[in-house]
Amino acid sequence: MTRNSLLDTVPAEFSPERPSSEAVLLAPAAVLTPEGIQHGYGVVVSDGKFLAVAALESLSAEFGGIQRVDLPGRLLMPGFIDSHQHLAQAFGKALAFGEPSEIFKRIWVPLEGFLNQELVYLSGKLAAFEALRGGITTVADAGARSSGDLSVLAQAAEEAGLRCVLGIICNDFPESPNPPDKNEILKRADDHLSRYDGNALITPSLAISIPEIASDWMLNQVYERCREAGRVFQTHVNEHLAAVERSLVDRRLRPLEHLARAKALGPHTLAAHVTLVTPAELNLLRDTDTAVAYNPVASQWKGNAVCPALQMEALGIRLGLGTDGTRSDGFRLVDAAESLQRIAFGLSVGDSSCGGGYKWLDMSSRGGAEVLGLSGVTGSIKPGLAADFLLVDLDVPELTPSWDLPWDLVRLGNRSQIEAVFVGGRLRLWQGWPVDWDGKALMERINKLAGEAVAQAPIKRVHGTSAEYTGFRRELGI
Ligand SMILES: [Zn+2]
């Protein structure tokens, strides 16, 4: 579908040409607010924000003069928040399927290291496009390992209309034989933290890939800079058995214990994965108010274990959900989050409810904003917050009849039901396609360039393609 024919189907009230200062009253069949599903509610959007969220009757009286858009059969819900993503990995996809853990060493570091700025930009734009198609309106990028100016990722996110917490990597023990100067790393970090002041969509963040790849001094410096700037420090923690054992051999401490010693745990730390966690480490997370990005699909595809998210939540640990660059699909993400808690923990103790449906919608929206330090910006359908929301078609056979919409959305919801994606009050996608830039042209350009990039990057796959794997096993008679 070309841009022009798509635009013909967009209701005039949602046209990108319409001035954002013109308030509009949306009247959907249901609204998902922090208190749950509301029927008979309206939402007033003005200047990119939610101005009012209340019973439609009272809003009609209060805002009688503004345009009203009836949305029968539609749910207005917050956009999903991906609290752990890698925008520079969008060309990798199936290269990582079936691979044993620690694919960052064999696939991601070689691929990201090979990408020039144009390819990083294209990967970022593709990842942003995929995120929006999956109903994700905010992502946290955990830092790309490519050289050069990574502000091209910010450019890509802004062009696509995706809200982005953008990390840059501050490792001072890199794999290369010429480690960068510590002062240069910190100068770059400071520049990054102050670069996006006043930017509507981009929030800076600092990252260290894994704790063992930095000195204790650098871990602490990076944490302190994030604390002073009110930003988030991102790192991968206790993800795989190999990572835990490497840390034990190098530092005589597990990764989380190592972060504690370096004074790099606290309310500004966002620890991704945290799947292999001891009771003492759970206490460390709770006592330091460190947040966690639970990445269920990463566990499905390449993990040794599952983050005990419900146990953490019961301890008062803050959690968001992340894709880790696996699959940018908000509905499949919440489904995986619930399913994995059930399989890994619920089955053995008879916990058949495993969060009760609504918890996973909340963790993937309000919870995600909270762990990213954006709870005053986005994550809920609430007056004063940015109008980041989805219009979801409820009038589908899968939801007929619907007895419990939160549970229905977690287990039966599908990306195909997302009719419109709004970020900052602006329509970004309509029926899965961008309304103000050419998604198909981007895909064509990437198809021309990605093959060569992947062929030339020093990627080492263990598995081979699915056909090679099958042939190899057949030759061995197994
Ligand atoms: Zn990651």
Side-chain angles (χ1 to χ4, degrees):
M1 187 179 283
T2 67
R3 187 193 147 193
N4 287 340
S5 63
L6 177 77
L7 268 181
D8 290 344
T9 68
V10 175
E13 304 83 19
F14 298 154
S15 164
E17 273 92 46
R18 191 174 185 276
S20 66
S21 55
E22 279 180 27
V24 61
L25 168 58
L26 305 176
V31 181
L32 180 58
T33 72
E35 289 74 40
I37 298 283
Q38 312 291 341
H39 296 279
Y41 257 49
V43 173
V44 178
V45 175
S46 176
D47 267 332
K49 293 187 173 179
F50 296 120
L51 183 62
V53 182
L56 194 52
E57 256 177 38
S58 67
L59 290 183
S60 296
E62 193 181 343
F63 297 94
I66 67 173
Q67 186 166 21
R68 171 175 162 157
V69 184
D70 286 312
L71 299 161
R74 304 295 187 272
L75 167 72
L76 191 155
M77 65 177 281
F80 293 102
I81 293 183
D82 180 352
S83 55
H84 184 73
Q85 163 66 300
H86 295 271
L87 295 172
Q89 294 179 357
F91 297 169
K93 292 191 180 139
L95 294 176
F97 295 169
E99 291 286 309
S101 70
E102 299 235 295
I103 50 175
F104 74 92
K105 282 189 171 175
R106 301 184 310 276
I107 296 172
W108 301 131
V109 171
L111 176 62
E112 289 176 48
F114 180 82
L115 299 180
N116 60 29
Q117 273 183 264
E118 185 196 11
L119 293 172
V120 171
Y121 161 78
L122 290 171
S123 174
K125 188 129 184 212
L126 179 66
F129 184 14
E130 288 183 68
L132 290 166
R133 273 171 67 84
I136 293 164
T137 51
T138 299
V139 302
D141 182 83
R145 284 162 284 219
S146 311
S147 56
D149 182 0
L150 296 179
S151 64
V152 290
L153 287 175
Q155 183 194 342
E158 281 189 282
E159 285 176 11
L162 179 72
R163 198 174 297 284
C164 178
V165 173
L166 183 63
I168 58 158
I169 284 179
C170 302
N171 307 342
D172 61 340
F173 293 169
E175 296 90 344
S176 76
N178 303 311
D181 178 74
K182 289 178 193 303
N183 291 324
E184 267 175 41
I185 293 173
L186 291 178
K187 184 180 177 314
R188 189 166 159 260
D190 291 337
D191 289 347
H192 182 69
L193 286 175
S194 60
R195 188 166 186 169
Y196 299 98
D197 287 350
N199 189 303
L201 293 179
I202 310 296
T203 303
S205 160
L206 302 181
I208 286 176
S209 310
I210 48 175
E212 311 90 272
I213 205 148
S215 61
D216 286 14
W217 180 83
M218 182 61 79
L219 286 163
N220 177 253
Q221 287 289 317
V222 166
Y223 179 79
E224 283 300 316
R225 275 168 163 74
C226 288
R227 186 183 62 75
E228 281 166 23
R231 303 304 185 201
V232 168
F233 159 50
Q234 303 182 64
T235 186
H236 295 76
V237 178
N238 295 38
E239 181 179 3
H240 301 122
L241 188 58
V244 171
E245 294 195 341
R246 186 174 48 240
S247 176
L248 282 166
V249 171
D250 285 359
R251 309 297 174 106
R252 301 172 70 190
L253 292 167
R254 298 164 63 85
L256 258 173
E257 295 169 339
H258 174 200
L259 285 176
R261 183 183 70 185
K263 297 190 169 40
L265 290 180
H268 293 275
T269 300
L270 175 58
H273 299 290
V274 202
T275 63
L276 296 154
V277 59
T278 63
E281 285 172 319
L282 286 171
N283 286 348
L284 270 179
L285 291 167
R286 180 198 59 198
D287 296 345
T288 57
D289 194 23
T290 296
V292 170
Y294 164 32
N295 296 279
V297 184
S299 287
Q300 281 179 319
W301 288 5
K302 62 188 174 74
N304 299 131
V306 176
C307 168
L310 286 173
Q311 188 184 1
M312 289 178 178
E313 217 231 356
L315 287 169
I317 295 165
R318 296 173 295 123
L319 289 134
L321 294 185
T323 63
D324 197 17
T326 51
R327 176 174 68 205
S328 285
D329 184 325
F331 284 118
R332 291 184 81 183
L333 179 65
V334 290
D335 180 24
E338 189 260 329
S339 301
L340 262 69
Q341 289 303 296
R342 190 174 158 81
I343 293 165
F345 310 106
L347 288 181
S348 58
V349 296
D351 179 7
S352 51
S353 54
C354 277
Y358 176 72
K359 184 176 297 297
W360 305 108
L361 297 174
D362 183 59
M363 198 179 285
S364 64
S365 51
R366 188 203 53 76
E370 217 283 323
V371 302
L372 296 177
L374 295 178
S375 51
V377 176
T378 186
S380 304
I381 309 296
K382 207 166 92 175
L385 297 191
D388 297 352
F389 65 96
L390 314 176
L391 294 179
V392 176
D393 185 3
L394 300 178
D395 199 11
V396 294
E398 293 78 13
L399 268 58
T400 304
S402 176
W403 305 119
D404 185 340
L405 192 50
W407 257 130
D408 288 343
L409 292 169
V410 170
R411 289 200 171 162
L412 305 172
N414 194 291
R415 174 164 60 189
S416 63
Q417 292 169 251
I418 302 172
E419 188 170 44
V421 180
F422 290 80
V423 181
R426 266 184 63 188
L427 180 66
R428 310 292 177 159
L429 296 193
W430 176 252
Q431 295 172 349
W433 294 92
V435 292
D436 52 0
W437 57 278
D438 193 335
K440 291 280 188 190
L442 175 78
M443 289 157 58
E444 271 172 38
R445 197 165 154 207
I446 288 169
N447 276 327
K448 278 202 189 101
L449 296 173
E452 197 183 338
V454 166
Q456 287 186 18
I459 290 168
K460 183 170 186 282
R461 287 183 71 189
V462 174
H463 199 274
T465 64
S466 50
E468 285 163 1
Y469 175 82
T470 307
F472 177 64
R473 311 279 293 179
R474 203 172 281 142
E475 271 176 33
L476 293 175
I478 51 179

